Amino acid sequence: MNSKRLTKKQMIIFAFGQLGWSTLSGIITTWLVTFYLPTAGDKAEGAISYLIPGLVIGGFMTILGLISALGRVFDAVTDPLIASLSDRSKNPRGRRNPFMQVAAIPLAIITVLVFTPLWGAQNPLNIVWVSVMLVLFYLFMTMYCTPYNSLISEYGKTQEDRMFISTSISLTFFVGTLLAYVPFVLGGPLRAAGLSFDWSYRLPFIVLAVIAVVCMLLPAFLIKETDYVETKPSEVNVFKSLAATFKNRDFRVFVGSDVMYWVGLTMFQTGLPFFVKVSMGLDAGTVLYFMGGMTLLSAIFYPFVTGLVKKFGKKKLVIFAFFGLAAAYAVAACTYFVNGQGGALGWILGIAIVVLAAFPMALLGIIPQSVVADVAEAEGVVTGENREGMFFAARTFAMKFGQSLALILFTSLSLIGGVEVEGELVPSVLGLLFVAIVAIVFCVLGAIILMFYREKHIMKLIAKEGDEAFMKAIEGEKE
């Protein structure tokens, strides 16, 4: 095995890749519902309902929810397939970088196309357009993210390196997510300058997509993979590799918990604009201030996470983070009593959400990535097969499944008790209360599931010289 380690500078360059794809992912997560399920205020400013609004699928699901659900059927095939192709690649430039180089530009272009339907209001052809674009978006995101995330395990030769990489990419993930909120601030001035409601957001999307492409290509071209990774390509076919991955007990536990995390996180990202505009009654631009404040506060905690892992271990901190995120949602539920009236109470609750969510977001952003890397490495030690790609593909699928489930739940729950504006249902204060309550349930479930993860068993398999502090933190854990 190649023992050459990345320098800190190279790890930071690697983290820029996450800044790129998280910006694009943040645009989809934040804006898909906001753009295609406009509020009463949005419609007053010229927003168009391109898709049929309301709970039109069986009385409990929206068109957006159905599109998202069908997309996961496609992902169930493509995610393991791309992971297997990457794991088995014999490309002289490496198993991961070539995929990242090919996927970056199409991913950025398609992100913008998701928001450019070619037909007018409520035309059924828009459903086809959005469906196809979302499928392509997640296909190219898998082509980039699965190989990229596999490198966390391969570049992270020690626990210190792995935690530094995980911390760096967590920071860039939240910066990317924050950038996705910038159009909330730019939209008003661009409309005042003469742009339509749609183009006041599409234009910022285009600028962000260009920035994202540059970021994604930096690690793919500036870090020569073969200088640092010398792994034997897997010879196991896609079906056997996928089956072997899910035979790993600890990985099954982690994925179950991880789905809960992505549901909770996505409901936060998708729901924040609606809690601000509908429940709190504040200006749309306030969303960026809240999200920016949470990102900055989270970043303050980042330098301390590795030290906390050395003291408490990874599992205990993630469980704590789940309950912390649930507490933030409990405060979000209290915005029901503001009832869209705005004022000081809305600001107080918004700030409380930011403060409560910041530390859990730091922990959940950093630690789970390193847990997957640990489990993947442990599997390699036991079986001799280097299938990091398949493990991270499974996590990518868990991410997309969690995001889709959150989208289905949010678009359905937020319309409960909704009022009609121009004959169309829009999200309500009561619906958002249900969103917060359901999100709390998912966060608690995530904590309970993770209690069954055998951290000590995994760490014993992969411990190296220099990892003594990490092992000491879990001395009392059961194997």
Side-chain angles (χ1 to χ4, degrees), residues 34-52:
T34 302
F35 190 86
Y36 285 111
L37 189 65
T39 65
D42 294 334
K43 293 182 72 63
E45 294 191 57
I48 298 172
S49 293
Y50 287 103
L51 303 180
I52 301 170

Side-chain angles (χ1 to χ4, degrees), residues 161-473:
D161 286 355
R162 198 164 287 176
M163 287 301 299
F164 186 88
I165 292 172
S166 296
T167 300
S168 300
I169 65 176
S170 175
L171 179 59
T172 52
F173 176 85
F174 281 114
V175 171
T177 302
L178 177 62
L179 287 176
Y181 283 88
V182 169
F184 280 113
V185 174
L186 299 180
L190 289 174
R191 287 192 291 277
L195 289 182
S196 67
F197 183 89
D198 295 349
W199 277 101
S200 71
Y201 293 127
R202 286 181 189 138
L203 185 59
F205 294 162
I206 292 170
V207 174
L208 290 173
V210 172
I211 295 171
V213 166
V214 174
C215 291
M216 287 190 290
L217 292 178
L218 285 175
F221 284 102
L222 294 185
I223 302 175
K224 189 176 180 182
E225 179 186 341
T226 51
D227 284 351
Y228 303 93
V229 180
E230 198 175 282
T231 52
K232 179 183 176 183
S234 174
E235 300 297 333
V236 181
N237 68 42
V238 59
F239 301 107
K240 289 183 179 179
S241 180
L242 183 63
T245 299
F246 278 97
K247 280 183 181 178
N248 188 304
R249 169 189 164 181
D250 294 289
F251 187 68
R252 291 198 305 271
V253 169
F254 171 81
V255 167
S257 175
D258 204 42
V259 169
M260 304 299 113
Y261 161 63
W262 286 109
V263 171
L265 177 64
T266 304
M267 279 192 160
F268 188 88
Q269 291 176 336
T270 302
L272 187 59
F274 291 89
F275 281 112
V276 169
K277 293 189 292 182
V278 177
S279 297
M280 300 179 200
L282 302 176
D283 182 77
T286 311
V287 177
L288 180 63
Y289 305 140
F290 284 152
M291 194 65 191
M294 193 200 73
T295 301
L296 291 174
L297 190 55
S298 290
I300 293 172
F301 293 122
Y302 278 27
F304 303 103
V305 172
T306 298
L308 289 171
V309 170
K310 288 180 179 179
K311 186 172 183 179
F312 299 105
K314 298 175 184 178
K315 183 171 79 171
K316 290 178 183 176
L317 289 173
V318 174
I319 290 172
F320 173 84
F322 271 118
F323 285 114
L325 190 57
Y329 270 118
V331 175
C334 293
T335 61
Y336 171 79
F337 300 103
V338 181
N339 197 30
Q341 299 303 308
L345 182 57
W347 275 97
I348 291 169
L349 291 175
I351 292 170
I353 292 169
V354 166
V355 172
L356 283 173
F359 184 51
M361 287 293 195
L363 296 176
L364 290 167
I366 295 171
I367 299 174
Q369 290 277 26
S370 66
V371 172
V372 183
D374 291 345
V375 176
E377 184 181 355
E379 179 78 0
V381 170
V382 173
T383 66
E385 284 285 339
N386 298 305
R387 293 183 289 104
E388 294 88 351
M390 191 60 73
F391 279 93
F392 280 98
R395 201 210 176 196
T396 300
F397 182 77
M399 175 185 73
K400 291 188 283 188
F401 179 77
Q403 289 174 338
S404 297
L405 181 56
L407 180 60
I408 293 169
L409 291 170
F410 184 87
T411 55
S412 301
L413 294 170
S414 65
L415 295 178
I416 294 175
V419 295
E420 288 194 2
V421 176
E422 299 178 8
E424 299 173 2
L425 274 179
V426 296
S428 71
V429 174
L430 177 63
L432 292 171
L433 172 63
F434 280 102
V435 167
I437 293 170
V438 170
I440 290 170
V441 172
F442 274 94
C443 290
V444 172
L445 282 174
I448 293 171
I449 292 170
L450 195 64
M451 291 177 184
F452 296 93
Y453 173 64
R454 300 178 300 172
E455 183 176 9
K456 188 173 182 179
H457 170 73
I458 296 296
M459 290 298 293
K460 272 192 168 183
L461 289 171
I462 64 173
K464 303 178 183 69
E465 185 179 348
D467 290 341
E468 292 81 8
F470 293 93
M471 292 300 297
K472 187 177 180 180

Side-chain angles (χ1 to χ4, degrees), residues 18-81:
Q18 183 111 337
L19 175 59
W21 78 257
S22 65
T23 299
L24 301 179
S25 177
I27 291 172
I28 297 297
T29 301
T30 303
W31 286 96
L32 188 65
V33 177
T34 302
F35 190 86
Y36 285 111
L37 189 65
T39 65
D42 294 334
K43 293 182 72 63
E45 294 191 57
I48 298 172
S49 293
Y50 287 103
L51 303 180
I52 301 170
L55 302 172
V56 296
I57 311 297
F60 65 92
M61 187 183 292
T62 63
I63 290 291
L64 274 179
L66 178 64
I67 290 171
S68 186
L70 292 177
R72 299 298 72 77
V73 176
F74 181 77
D75 284 337
V77 177
T78 58
D79 284 7
L81 178 60

